[in-house]
Amino acid sequence: GACANCVTSHTEACRAPRRPTRTFCAPPLSALSMPRKAAGAQPAREGTLDMLSARSSAVRARLGNDSNVSVDYIEACGDCFYLAIESALSEICGWQPYYAVAMQRQLVASQITDETYQLYQLLHAQRAEGFAFMQGVDSLEALRRRVLVRGKQHRPHKCVWADGFAMEVIANHFGVLLLVIDERVQESQMFTRIAPRGACAPSSSGEASELDPSQSLVLLHSSSREHMNLIMYNGKKLPQLGDLPAKLQRLWGISAARRSAGGSHTDGCAPLAHQDFQRFLGDGVACGAIRPRPGMAPAAPPPQPDVYDESLVGR
């Protein structure tokens, strides 16, 4: 007789043993759910977390999800703070060599004193984080030359990143208020402000320092790896304090004071309003030199900017 697989009689091939048929069992529905979780998932890398914290949505969340907040991303080259300041100041009069990165570094270098040099040496000797650049620096002039080195030209690890001292020098010289979100510290302390000399006055309520609402400011986000991006508010890179709502001002412990009949509410260095800033820059560019703000010592002539000495690179 014929088998089901043959149209002819049985053959040796038909009588050969057949391979058993495999049985496939459908996986349970729960196994098909998405997304799948990898077994033994590793924690996110530090660089990944750093990038996530710098996203516009993350920065906006730090500021109460204010829809007017956005981020202007700065190149990570070791000059990020100076590039952010350059970009912000360029909003008023356009780019000027007066506040270019090289000129800002020259300004900071000129303000370094022997006391600052001794402090940096001590911190380096104590292996404090962030002071490896002091390796091989054996004099005040050597430190000044190293501060002049630009990361964009000589790579980030071969330049000195801006620290609190540098930021204070820039804030005082240009009369701008620096408001920083610092991801390196715990949330209760991450809102840091650096006000230009004489800009703050005691608050009548005792809760926050009062500043003139026309005070120009720069908002910055500092990641856990110390990279800085520029925060814009309502599309402005250099807003005035009065542009920020009170709830954002309170994050940094400041408030915009009401103007008195006599004008400014402070007796010290007057805040640098936008219209004053144009005249200030015009005078500075016209004379071709760095003009210090009132109350600042004249800048000592530092070494030529961008002088690079390989023996001075310790990072």
Side-chain angles (χ1 to χ4, degrees):
C3 71
N5 298 320
C6 301
V7 293
T8 59
S9 300
H10 285 291
T11 64
E12 292 297 327
C14 293
R15 288 194 292 269
R18 298 179 184 177
R19 299 176 63 181
T21 304
R22 292 183 180 179
T23 302
F24 293 94
C25 297
L29 187 60
S30 58
L32 299 177
S33 59
M34 295 294 288
R36 295 178 181 176
K37 191 173 183 180
Q42 298 296 320
R45 292 182 298 176
E46 182 182 356
T48 302
L49 295 175
D50 194 69
M51 289 189 296
L52 291 175
S53 70
R55 295 177 63 180
S56 291
S57 57
V59 175
R60 195 177 299 117
R62 293 292 190 196
L63 298 175
N65 288 314
D66 192 316
S67 59
N68 292 310
V69 172
S70 58
V71 177
D72 182 24
Y73 293 99
I74 304 297
E75 180 182 357
C77 62
D79 296 327
C80 54
F81 168 74
Y82 300 112
L83 286 170
I85 295 297
E86 179 182 315
S87 178
L89 299 185
S90 298
E91 189 173 62
I92 297 180
C93 303
W95 184 87
Q96 300 283 350
Y98 177 65
Y99 43 77
V101 172
M103 192 61 73
Q104 291 183 64
R105 283 190 172 274
Q106 182 177 347
L107 172 63
V108 172
S110 70
Q111 295 296 319
I112 297 176
T113 64
D114 188 64
E115 182 181 0
T116 307
Y117 166 69
Q118 296 293 340
L119 175 61
Y120 282 11
Q121 265 200 330
L122 176 62
L123 291 171
H124 174 61
Q126 295 176 344
R127 299 180 182 275
E129 184 180 359
F131 289 89
F133 66 85
M134 288 296 293
Q135 179 69 34
V137 177
D138 55 3
S139 68
L140 173 59
E141 287 306 312
L143 175 57
R144 286 178 170 173
R145 288 197 301 271
R146 179 162 295 182
V147 169
L148 294 177
V149 174
R150 294 171 58 185
K152 199 165 186 178
Q153 293 183 349
H154 304 292
R155 293 181 293 178
H157 69 283
K158 291 187 175 181
C159 71
V160 180
W161 300 355
D163 59 1
F165 169 79
M167 295 172 70
E168 186 176 0
V169 170
I170 296 300
N172 282 329
H173 184 80
F174 292 109
V176 293
L177 171 66
L178 304 180
L179 300 181
V180 185
I181 304 175
D182 192 347
E183 297 286 351
R184 296 172 300 170
V185 297
Q186 57 185 356
E187 190 168 350
S188 60
Q189 300 176 343
M190 67 170 45
F191 295 95
T192 303
R193 73 172 187 265
I194 300 178
R197 188 178 294 114
C200 292
S203 170
S204 57
S205 63
E207 296 180 353
S209 298
E210 292 185 345
L211 291 91
D212 194 289
S214 65
Q215 172 68 58
S216 299
L217 61 90
V218 178
L219 288 161
L220 297 163
H221 177 265
S222 178
S223 72
S224 58
R225 303 177 86 177
E226 301 183 61
H227 175 63
M228 287 194 175
N229 287 312
L230 182 62
I231 302 175
M232 297 184 293
Y233 192 80
N234 200 20
K236 297 179 181 179
K237 297 181 179 181
L238 190 71
Q240 296 183 346
L241 181 59
D243 295 331
L244 302 185
K247 66 177 183 179
L248 292 190
Q249 297 175 21
R250 286 193 294 268
L251 291 175
W252 282 277
I254 55 177
S255 63
R258 294 182 179 180
R259 293 183 182 276
S260 61
S264 175
H265 69 286
T266 60
D267 297 326
C269 173
L272 199 59
H274 281 37
Q275 61 271 23
D276 299 327
F277 193 83
Q278 292 178 336
R279 292 193 295 271
F280 173 66
L281 286 181
D283 294 343
V285 173
C287 69
I290 297 178
R291 184 165 70 89
R293 290 277 293 157
M296 284 190 68
Q304 181 68 27
D306 295 328
V307 172
Y308 180 68
D309 186 349
E310 187 70 36
S311 64
L312 292 176
V313 177
R315 297 179 63 178

